[in-house]
Amino acid sequence: MTPGRRSSTFTRLLRHGFTDASAAERLLDSVELAAVRDDPVLLEALGATADPDLALHGLVRLLEAQPGPTARQELLDTLIAAKPLRDRLLGVLGASAALADHLARHPRDWEALVTYEPRDLHPGLAEFERGLAEAVDPVSLRVAYRRCLLSIAARDVCGTTDVAQTAAELADLATATLRAALGLAEAAAPGDAAACRLAVIAMGKCGGHELNYVSDVDVIFVGEAADGADEAKALRSATKLASHMMRICSETTVEGSIWPVDANLRPEGRNGPLVRTLSSHLAYYQRWAKTWEFQALLKARPVAGDLDLGQEYVAALEPLVWKAAERENFVADVQKMRRRVVENIPVAELDRELKLGPGGLRDVEFAVQLLQLVHGRADASLRSGTTLDALQALAAGGYVGRADAVQLDDAYRFLRSMEHRIQLYRLRRTHLVPEDEADLRRLGRSLGLRTDPVTELIREWRQHTGVVRRLHEKLFYRPLLDAVAQLAPGEARLSAEAARERLEALGYADPAAALRHLEALASGVTRKAAIQRTLLPVLLGWFADSADPDAGLLNFRKVSDALGKTPWYLRLLRDEGAAAENLARVLSAGRLAPDLLMRAPEAVALLGDGDGGGLEPRGRAQLEQEILAAVGRADNAEDGVRAARGVRRRELFRTAAADIVDSYGTETKPVEADQGALVDRVGGAVSDLTAATLAGTLRAVVRDGWGDTLPTRFAMIGMGRFGGHELGYGSDADVVFVHEPRDGVAEREAADAANKVVAEMRRLLQIPSADPPLLIDADLRPEGKSGPLVRTLKSYEAYYRRWSLVWESHALLRAEPVAGDEELGRRFIELVDPLRYPAEGLGEDAVREIRRLKARMESERLPRGADPKLHTKLGPGGLSDVEWTVQLLQLRHGWAEPGLRTTRTRQALAAAQAAGLLGTEEAAILDEAWVLATRVRNAVMLVRGRAGDTFPTESRELAAVGRYLGYGDGHAGDMLDAYRRTTRRARAVVEELFYGA
């Protein structure tokens, strides 16, 4: 051999994928390959394998093992002339060292790969049974098994079969092997065989027709006495046969073992008898079985022995399998078991665990099985033991999104292909991705990744596990399933009659109307109707958990009619865990939130789990930025304010929806325990929104009438609940207006401009439209309704210096700038601070005047016919009582206690308690009453859609207020008693602190 030829061969070998070209050259120069060494066909074929070095080494061993020169030449001639054999044989040799060992021990078994007929391309159980028919003992059974396995691996590595077909063939080969092993056991003990009927039920991957190359074969045994035989004796005989069959498959011989047969999925596991009668199995599953045992039965399939008995077993247990989802805590049990599997993986192996790790095969299988058990009760098309078939059926039925199903299918196929090729190499049971570079290279090349096999393999593997992890969390932990799983049998998909009965049982006031809504939503064969049929059983339960299920369903139909053609709406409800339940709560809690939603139904997107902000309130700066930007894009003031009001409507919906969800709680999120936090959240959100809306409206009006600059500086000062950040859903915006003429502008011109601004703002904010109006109330200005609407800062200063009354100082406690010129607003606050926090506090005359005003208000303003004890604003222990008590403390002690200088009631109350002005218990009593009264007002607005200070009289509305406050059906009386009790205690504190009783 010349150096030049060696160099050329060496280079060609590297180009064809050999990693040890020197060793490959030596093998090619061996006597066995001398005749074909320079044949380009051979080199091309070796280069196409997963591991050319391994394939060449295996080929040389196979040639060396041939019984003589004639046999060797026959193999070489066939190898070069027949491309199917060449691809199959070299493909196997390049992927499996274990099968290369088998061929070296049984050198004529290569002939099993020569046949290339249609039936050979996709063999079934019958072909495998014929392949094992000549086995007469465990050793010959192993040899025949490996020969059949050789043909399966050849079709697999050549791409003749895909991963699902390969798994099915492996399951068929296992079935044929179990039958052959049982046949050998029966032949060894004919007396035992005659005394019993024994059925072998495949479980797990074998039962699901999706077996690995090397896996335990899970089985359950069912035994019965043969005609006339004693049952106890028959069971002993069946147990002997079963045990012998397991040993035949599992024990190691000179030809190794086949695979372990595992019967631990049987009732009571290892502690239970190996073989039971059908009635014993049935009794166990009816009384003692755990949730996971029914999940395992999804894949039960008779495979060997008495197949009639096996079918009886499956038929008897199948109804129990599809009732498993009715078990208490079913979904939680399945989820818990999956988490336990992950927790038991050694930390060092977690990142390499292909089967059990996060994003692995088991995640796909668990998710699919859970969906099957929940929805398969009413949909028989889902009852497949094969993961990919079940996934396809779930997608076809609308239970899983089509795109999600495609991604899961792709990921599962890729991960199973990795698992197959890893196991095929040594024929060892493992699910760990190798760490060795050579192993990773062979694995990547076996999957068709040839440019940079290791990098490409790791990237695709991580990508697919990421997809599985994301989709698994969305499907497996989807809260919808928990609710569907708790439905009564047969109600997961609704027939018309079942729907009517269920509606009546759920307490719908008008079942006929409700049924019409259901029929409109769920009838038909469209995908949209299929998804609705999945959602509706769950939604009905959530609606029924409210005080007005009819309204919830009606509102759901309205929203669905409005959004039904948008692609994201039903997908959001089906796939985003919180969205469906949040929507159900919102639509059935009263009129306000649904009314806001109906005006712009796309706001339903806020109810999901995504990144769109969800139900978290937005800050004032963010709101103001959005509104000012919308105003800036508008052509005129009316369009600008319309845009601002649209933002206000959407944000009111966000706030109301969050309030409802927090107050009702969901199945994954408990009720907010801190009622004060709920009140503060609503008050702060609505107040910030009102301020941002006024700022946008001011900008629109000024720009339309004066361009960039108004002739006078202009500011709005929030008063009352607005200034205190305590606005409710139906509150007006209490403000006073202050302006200051710019240099060189006459007072008359400035005043006219300021008044025009106020008049136009009021008009634009009240124009009838789809958006709720915002009323501006300026009655707290000096002289009330009799005084000028707008004053200059100097006018305020002159008025307060000469004419200010005690009630005005009292009202100014809540004053805070909310919009307009910030510097002017700050100066206004500096002006009024001495009035609201007078030095040395209020004199006794002023205190008596405040008490007189309060008493007069209580007697004159209370609506005729109202129950004073249930009036949240003016009733004893209500809002007015608590606020006036806190404000009197501010007027008397604010000059000395900086903590009291706040516009917020609860903050001032906490500061007064910290300063020792009232006891801890007194402060808690007042705070509880104020929070409760505020919650009642918010509830009334949410339920009725209009503001009110008293509890509703209509029973359903009263029940809805109770539900918002945490009271169940039939407990409205308890709610009213609790309100009276809370406010009565608060009134006692008010009598002492405010009136000095």
Side-chain angles (χ1 to χ4, degrees):
M1 184 191 315
T2 66
R5 190 172 75 81
R6 175 182 175 82
S7 175
S8 172
T9 303
F10 188 90
T11 303
R12 279 195 302 145
L13 290 171
L14 290 177
R15 192 170 65 247
H16 280 92
F18 287 85
T19 57
D20 189 348
S22 298
E25 274 191 298
R26 288 194 298 273
L27 290 172
L28 286 170
D29 285 337
S30 65
V31 175
E32 288 77 18
L33 286 174
V36 296
R37 177 177 54 207
D38 296 320
D39 195 314
V41 169
L42 176 62
L43 206 56
E44 289 288 342
L46 287 168
T49 66
D51 188 337
D53 300 87
L54 184 67
L56 178 57
H57 183 260
L59 178 60
V60 171
R61 288 181 64 204
L62 176 59
L63 288 167
E64 289 173 343
Q66 295 305 307
T70 304
R72 188 179 305 128
Q73 193 60 47
E74 179 190 356
L75 170 58
L76 284 173
D77 290 346
T78 311
L79 187 71
I80 298 302
K83 186 178 188 307
L85 170 71
R86 186 167 62 247
D87 290 344
R88 288 178 169 201
L89 178 59
L90 295 182
V92 168
L93 292 173
S96 178
L99 287 177
D101 291 343
H102 171 82
L103 285 169
R105 287 196 309 274
H106 304 280
R108 301 301 297 178
D109 275 5
W110 67 268
E111 296 173 4
L113 303 180
V114 174
T115 309
Y116 197 73
E117 299 173 357
R119 70 174 185 176
D120 180 58
L121 294 181
H122 299 288
L125 177 58
E127 284 75 25
F128 289 126
E129 285 190 292
R130 280 196 294 273
L132 302 179
E134 296 179 6
V136 294
D137 55 37
V139 173
S140 59
L141 180 61
R142 280 153 176 70
V143 174
Y145 174 84
R146 286 281 198 283
R147 189 181 304 119
C148 292
L149 191 65
L150 187 65
S151 67
I152 293 176
R155 286 186 291 275
D156 179 16
V157 298
C158 292
T160 306
T161 54
D162 65 16
V163 66
Q165 292 169 323
T166 300
E169 288 185 12
L170 288 166
D172 283 340
L173 176 56
T175 297
T177 305
L178 289 170
R179 291 182 181 182
L182 182 59
L184 292 176
E186 289 174 338
D192 287 330
C196 67
R197 299 170 63 200
L198 176 65
V200 183
I201 312 297
M203 305 288 283
K205 282 187 161 53
C206 183
H209 229 69
E210 51 188 16
L211 197 60
N212 301 328
Y213 276 103
V214 186
S215 174
D216 291 357
V217 172
D218 296 309
V219 298
I220 285 177
F221 296 105
V222 187
E224 296 287 350
D227 291 342
D230 175 70
E231 183 177 288
K233 181 181 177 183
L235 285 177
R236 285 195 295 273
S237 295
T239 301
K240 290 178 186 177
L241 291 174
S243 298
H244 192 187
M245 184 203 84
M246 293 173 69
R247 289 196 303 275
I248 289 171
C249 296
S250 305
E251 287 182 345
T252 301
T253 70
V254 291
E255 289 291 339
S257 67
I258 301 177
W259 20 246
V261 176
D262 188 340
N264 289 335
L265 291 178
R266 67 186 183 269
E268 301 180 78
R270 293 178 182 175
N271 298 321
L274 184 63
V275 183
R276 289 175 181 259
T277 63
L278 177 55
S279 60
S280 176
H281 276 286
L282 196 56
Y284 173 84
Y285 283 105
Q286 287 172 334
R287 295 191 61 188
W288 308 112
K290 297 181 176 62
T291 298
W292 70 264
E293 293 177 279
F294 292 106
Q295 186 179 354
L297 284 171
L298 272 173
K299 296 185 178 295
R301 179 172 66 93
V303 291
D306 191 317
L307 295 181
D308 289 338
L309 177 58
Q311 290 295 346
E312 289 176 37
Y313 170 88
V314 170
L317 292 183
E318 188 175 42
L320 300 181
V321 173
W322 300 113
K323 288 181 179 178
E326 299 163 24
R327 296 164 65 91
E328 189 175 357
N329 299 320
F330 161 73
V331 174
D333 285 348
V334 176
Q335 293 171 343
K336 192 184 303 178
M337 185 170 67
R338 172 67 190 121
R339 286 192 291 270
R340 193 179 302 130
V341 168
V342 175
E343 289 164 2
N344 288 335
I345 300 172
V347 175
E349 297 179 358
L350 188 62
D351 289 339
R352 297 193 295 128
E353 177 58 67
L354 198 60
K355 177 181 177 181
L356 303 177
L361 292 162
R362 187 56 58 88
D363 274 352
V364 180
E365 292 159 0
F366 263 59
V368 168
Q369 288 165 22
L370 181 58
L371 286 160
Q372 283 182 279
L373 288 169
V374 170
H375 297 296
R377 291 177 292 165
D379 190 343
S381 71
L382 306 181
R383 299 178 183 180
S384 170
T386 307
T387 300
L388 290 178
D389 290 348
L391 179 59
Q392 185 177 3
L394 286 164
Y399 304 101
V400 174
R402 286 175 183 160
D404 291 348
V406 168
Q407 286 186 291
L408 273 181
D409 186 283
D410 288 345
Y412 190 74
R413 287 175 184 273
F414 183 84
L415 296 174
R416 282 301 301 271
S417 296
M418 281 186 69
E419 182 184 44
H420 277 186
R421 301 301 162 79
I422 290 169
Q423 293 182 350
L424 181 59
Y425 176 53
R426 292 287 186 194
L427 286 182
R428 290 177 183 165
R429 183 173 179 267
T430 179
H431 309 288
L432 291 179
V433 177
E435 295 177 295
D436 181 74
E437 184 87 5
D439 289 334
L440 289 170
R441 181 176 182 272
R442 181 180 56 257
L443 179 57
R445 284 175 59 89
S446 77
L447 296 172
L449 308 173
R450 298 299 171 96
T451 306
D452 185 355
V454 176
T455 302
E456 292 176 59
L457 172 70
I458 299 299
R459 184 177 64 244
E460 288 211 29
W461 171 37
R462 296 302 183 196
Q463 178 183 331
H464 283 299
T465 55
V467 166
V468 172
R469 186 183 290 114
R470 176 174 57 81
L471 293 179
H472 169 261
E473 288 168 357
K474 183 161 64 169
L475 297 174
F476 188 67
Y477 294 100
R478 197 161 25 136
L480 288 175
L481 296 180
D482 215 353
V484 175
Q486 292 165 12
L487 294 173
E491 291 176 352
R493 296 286 291 271
L494 300 173
S495 68
E497 186 56 38
R500 190 184 303 276
E501 292 173 357
R502 178 162 174 77
L503 288 167
E504 291 174 354
L506 286 171
Y508 282 77
D510 189 351
L515 187 55
R516 287 196 298 273
H517 300 322
L518 289 177
E519 289 168 348
L521 288 163
S523 60
V525 293
T526 63
R527 182 171 177 78
K528 181 174 74 172
I531 296 174
Q532 288 280 23
R533 286 194 293 269
T534 303
L535 291 169
L536 278 167
V538 190
L539 290 167
L540 287 175
W542 284 328
F543 292 147
D545 191 37
S546 73
D548 196 349
D550 297 82
L553 181 55
L554 172 60
N555 289 329
F556 179 67
R557 180 180 177 184
K558 289 179 179 178
V559 173
S560 295
D561 286 347
L563 294 176
K565 292 183 180 178
T566 58
W568 56 267
Y569 167 61
L570 289 174
R571 189 166 63 238
L572 171 81
L573 298 186
R574 184 191 62 203
D575 296 344
E576 294 289 351
E581 186 173 4
N582 288 348
L583 180 62
R585 300 300 184 200
V586 167
L587 294 181
S588 56
R591 295 178 185 171
L592 178 66
D595 285 350
L596 292 169
L597 181 60
M598 297 309 169
R599 293 167 184 175
E602 66 276 4
V604 76
L606 298 175
L607 300 171
D609 289 333
D611 299 324
L615 298 180
E616 285 298 313
R618 303 170 75 201
R620 178 170 167 181
Q622 192 178 3
L623 292 168
E624 196 165 309
Q625 182 181 20
E626 180 183 1
I627 288 174
L628 291 177
V631 167
R633 292 190 295 268
D635 294 331
N636 53 57
E638 193 162 315
D639 289 346
V641 175
R642 186 181 299 114
R645 289 175 67 181
V647 173
R648 177 172 177 263
R649 182 244 317 123
R650 183 197 70 210
E651 295 303 318
L652 279 174
F653 172 74
R654 188 198 303 269
T655 303
D659 189 17
I660 290 166
V661 170
D662 287 339
S663 298
Y664 273 59
T666 65
E667 298 188 3
T668 57
K669 182 181 180 183
V671 174
E672 171 63 67
D674 186 350
Q675 303 294 294
L678 286 175
V679 165
D680 292 343
R681 204 172 303 152
V682 172
V686 177
S687 300
D688 284 346
L689 179 56
T690 301
T693 305
L694 291 177
T697 303
L698 175 61
R699 172 75 63 84
V701 170
V702 171
R703 192 187 65 174
D704 218 33
W706 292 271
D708 292 333
T709 307
L710 192 65
T712 185
R713 292 184 178 84
F714 183 88
M716 284 177 272
I717 311 298
M719 303 289 284
R721 290 185 165 275
F722 187 14
H725 297 258
E726 296 162 359
L727 285 181
Y729 299 111
S731 300
D732 297 344
D734 288 321
V735 297
V736 297
F737 302 102
V738 58
H739 77 106
E740 184 177 69
R742 297 186 184 277
D743 293 341
V745 177
E747 293 241 357
R748 170 61 62 186
E749 181 186 352
D752 287 347
N755 278 288
K756 285 179 181 177
V757 166
V758 172
E760 185 65 359
M761 286 182 67
R762 284 178 140 179
R763 184 184 75 83
L764 292 173
L765 288 169
Q766 295 180 54
I767 291 176
S769 76
D771 302 310
L774 175 57
L775 303 180
I776 296 176
D777 187 338
D779 289 352
L780 291 176
R781 64 187 184 271
E783 302 178 79
K785 293 180 181 179
S786 304
L789 190 60
V790 183
R791 288 177 182 262
T792 64
L793 187 62
K794 287 183 179 179
S795 175
Y796 277 107
E797 184 179 6
Y799 175 85
Y800 288 137
R801 186 172 60 248
R802 297 187 61 189
W803 309 108
S804 177
L805 300 174
V806 173
W807 74 263
E808 289 170 317
S809 296
H810 184 205
L812 287 169
L813 284 167
R814 303 288 208 111
E816 181 173 292
V818 292
D821 191 297
E822 292 182 9
E823 197 269 338
L824 181 60
R826 181 183 56 76
R827 286 162 57 204
F828 179 89
I829 295 302
E830 290 174 354
L831 171 67
V832 303
D833 269 352
L835 291 170
R836 56 184 181 175
Y837 310 125
E840 305 301 326
L842 284 183
E844 286 304 313
D845 288 345
V847 172
R848 281 194 294 271
E849 175 64 12
I850 285 179
R851 288 170 176 164
R852 187 186 64 79
L853 288 170
K854 174 76 168 69
R856 191 180 75 186
M857 184 179 70
E858 288 177 15
S859 62
E860 292 180 359
R861 293 193 184 178
L862 198 66
R864 183 176 298 174
D867 182 349
K869 293 181 180 178
L870 294 176
H871 198 280
T872 60
K873 182 177 181 180
L874 301 175
L879 295 171
S880 178
D881 266 3
V882 177
E883 289 167 4
W884 281 61
T885 300
V886 173
Q887 289 156 13
L888 181 58
L889 291 172
Q890 290 180 281
L891 288 165
R892 298 181 78 173
H893 303 283
W895 66 278
E897 294 291 343
L900 290 172
R901 297 171 203 163
T902 174
T903 61
R904 307 182 187 213
T905 301
R906 298 188 73 216
Q907 283 187 9
L909 181 57
Q913 186 264 318
L917 302 176
L918 76 167
T920 302
E921 185 179 356
E922 293 171 317
I925 289 171
L926 292 180
D927 186 68
E928 181 185 10
W930 188 87
V931 167
L932 177 58
T934 304
R935 293 264 293 152
V936 172
R937 289 182 101 199
N938 286 344
V940 170
M941 183 66 188
L942 286 169
V943 169
R944 302 179 70 190
R946 60 181 188 275
D949 292 316
T950 60
F951 286 88
T953 55
E954 198 274 322
S955 61
R956 183 157 282 200
E957 291 180 344
L958 184 64
V961 170
R963 185 67 183 81
Y964 172 86
L965 294 176
Y967 292 89
D969 289 342
H971 291 277
D974 295 338
M975 170 183 66
L976 297 178
D977 288 344
Y979 181 84
R980 293 188 185 98
R981 186 166 54 251
T982 301
T983 53
R984 185 169 61 246
R985 289 201 305 267
R987 180 64 181 193
V989 176
V990 170
E991 293 282 356
E992 180 182 347
L993 293 178
F994 185 81
Y995 290 109

